[in-house]
Amino acid sequence: MTAPTELAPPTADGPVTVAITRRVAARDTTQMIAWVRAGTAMAELFPGFLGAGWVRPGDASDEWHMLYRFADQESLHAWETSTERQWWLRSGEGLVEHTRAERRTGIEGWFDPPASTSVEAPAGPKPPPRWKQALLIWMAFFPVNLLATLTLGALVVHWPVVLRVLCMTVVLTPIMTYLVLPTLTRRLDGWLHR
């Protein structure tokens, strides 16, 4: 999970609405509902909490649009910096990807165009550990290189070494980049990001 960084507070006084877009794999819908309800239940215990909710564009969508609202910046800050919220966010690691957060002040936070707003889009998901990346590349490269050496290599065996290597890399680089590595990365995504 990538946690959103602290947003700069809007300048207007009064209620503050935070809208967050999160992504969750379709297979994790049940866990996501439980996670959202747990966070809402904790937020309800904080002074100034005015409500929360979530919607999805459709059953097949991996996006969840969530809103929560506090009476003022001070009560929102108390929730966002609380140990309870930090624990709750950590409990969503591996389940939730935060893609966007936006704050709005006043009633327009729910319905009308905002009087003031700040938007933050965190960096993409955390990359897998280097050792997993290296192992994945080797798992892709070894069989492809072996096959190319046994087939194409036999055709160019009498060429000078520099030309043989040039020929092999010119042929193998697009195959690895556009076919083998993307396929293997998709199939091993769970292991890579575990």
Side-chain angles (χ1 to χ4, degrees):
M1 171 182 92
T2 54
T5 56
E6 191 67 28
L7 294 169
T11 55
D13 293 331
V16 183
T17 302
V18 178
I20 297 179
T21 302
R22 293 179 166 118
R23 284 203 179 109
V24 178
R27 67 180 180 275
D28 295 328
T29 298
T30 302
Q31 293 92 323
M32 182 60 174
I33 291 170
W35 186 75
V36 169
R37 288 180 180 160
T40 302
M42 281 189 279
E44 287 173 349
L45 301 175
F46 280 73
F49 178 78
L50 298 176
W54 55 269
V55 295
R56 293 171 61 200
D59 286 342
S61 177
D62 64 349
E63 282 195 341
W64 294 61
H65 301 283
M66 302 175 182
L67 293 172
Y68 58 90
R69 187 167 171 85
F70 278 83
D72 52 43
Q73 289 291 341
E74 187 178 322
S75 56
L76 174 64
H77 182 73
W79 161 246
E80 289 187 333
T81 59
S82 69
T83 55
E84 292 89 338
R85 183 172 184 265
Q86 300 314 309
W87 172 86
W88 175 69
L89 288 173
R90 283 192 307 275
S91 73
E93 289 179 1
L95 172 69
V96 179
E97 175 191 347
H98 301 275
T99 60
R100 182 175 183 186
E102 181 178 346
R103 290 186 185 194
R104 293 183 173 192
T105 58
I107 192 68
E108 77 281 349
W110 290 106
F111 306 107
D112 304 325
S116 68
T117 185
S118 63
V119 177
E120 169 267 329
K126 185 178 174 185
R130 292 260 184 194
W131 70 268
K132 286 186 177 183
Q133 293 177 44
L135 185 58
L136 179 96
I137 291 168
W138 179 84
M139 288 168 51
F141 186 73
F142 177 74
V144 172
N145 189 33
L146 181 61
L147 181 63
T149 300
L150 292 173
T151 57
L152 183 59
L155 299 174
V156 296
V157 72
H158 300 296
W159 291 11
V161 147
V162 173
L163 288 178
R164 282 192 310 228
V165 172
L166 177 66
C167 175
M168 295 291 266
T169 56
V170 164
V171 170
L172 293 182
T173 299
I175 292 170
M176 292 292 294
T177 303
Y178 295 106
L179 181 66
V180 178
L181 279 172
T183 302
L184 199 55
T185 301
R186 268 192 310 276
R187 290 183 184 226
L188 297 177
D189 184 63
W191 171 75
L192 280 170
H193 293 97
R194 189 174 311 138

